[in-house]
Amino acid sequence: MEHIWVHISDRSLSLDEAYDFVLDESCGGNCLFIGTARNQNQGETVTHLDFETYEKMALSEMRGIAEECIQRFGVRKVAILHRSGEVRQKEKAVIIAVSGVHRAECFDACRHAIDRLKERVPIWKKEFLLDGSHWVSERP
Amino acid sequence: MRILCFGIAKDITGEKELDLELETPMRVDNLRVALAERYRDLDRLGYMLAVNEKYAQDDELVRSEDEVAIIPPVSGG
């Protein structure tokens, strides 16, 4: 049985699909993280985002992170979903779903997955402001 | 050598894909030097290189048939 689902799409991400994937009869804990687009950054109005992905490598890095979560924290199933293309306010940009026997390892794995994703998955966010656009860099 | 550019690297080079005349096999650190000679802003930015969809170390060798990509600081999530 597959315990990992990684997915990149230019269409709306489904929380139900991510949750249904990780649900498992042996698990009592399920942790979901959802990252959404917000309307401001550093005091400036953001109208929308646009995500560019190096899709093949991004999927392989996402799978590596999910495997790391299972090995390191002993969680059962992991789903990592990310958007590409244009993302408007309140739309989901990323979903991490984790199931495990107990809650503690689920919280830890979920946190680890989003932190690692932000560090190493080749996806780039372009922010559109009222007066222009720019690539967002974690290391400006 | 074909080199894919993403995010801000695409703006700096002006191309989605570079086709550079470089001698192969070439070490990754030498490729960085060759890129710096052509695109000064790349080094200022700081970036990683990926070879065949994996982050590459400086002492790795790049062959002509490899898929190489410039990975500027990522900002997913």
Side-chain angles (χ1 to χ4, degrees), chain A residues 99-118:
Chain A
S99 63
V101 177
H102 301 296
R103 68 186 181 283
E105 63 263 31
C106 297
F107 278 120
D108 290 345
C110 197
R111 174 67 184 257
H112 179 75
I114 185 65
D115 287 351
R116 292 290 282 159
L117 181 145
K118 282 175 166 284

Side-chain angles (χ1 to χ4, degrees), chain A residues 36-42 46-47 49 88-90 127:
Chain A
T36 50
R38 58 197 162 108
N39 64 1
Q40 55 82 37
N41 190 17
Q42 295 178 337
V46 178
T47 60
L49 306 172
R88 299 259 158 198
Q89 285 156 25
K90 299 203 280 186
E127 236 173 33

Side-chain angles (χ1 to χ4, degrees), chain A residues 45-85:
Chain A
T45 300
V46 178
T47 60
H48 64 282
L49 306 172
D50 200 282
F51 287 99
E52 183 180 8
T53 70
Y54 181 9
E55 188 165 321
K56 282 182 298 177
M57 180 173 169
L59 288 170
S60 128
E61 288 290 331
M62 285 154 72
R63 178 166 290 277
I65 291 170
E67 282 166 0
E68 208 172 81
C69 284
I70 289 171
Q71 279 159 17
R72 189 185 294 193
F73 301 99
V75 291
R76 189 71 39 117
K77 291 184 182 172
V78 179
I80 304 179
L81 287 62
H82 206 293
R83 273 295 303 272
S84 60

Side-chain angles (χ1 to χ4, degrees), chain A residues 7-13 55 82-87 91:
Chain A
H7 179 66
I8 291 175
S9 172
D10 61 358
R11 322 229 355 218
S12 181
L13 301 178
E55 188 165 321
H82 206 293
R83 273 295 303 272
S84 60
E86 191 177 304
V87 178
E91 270 193 282

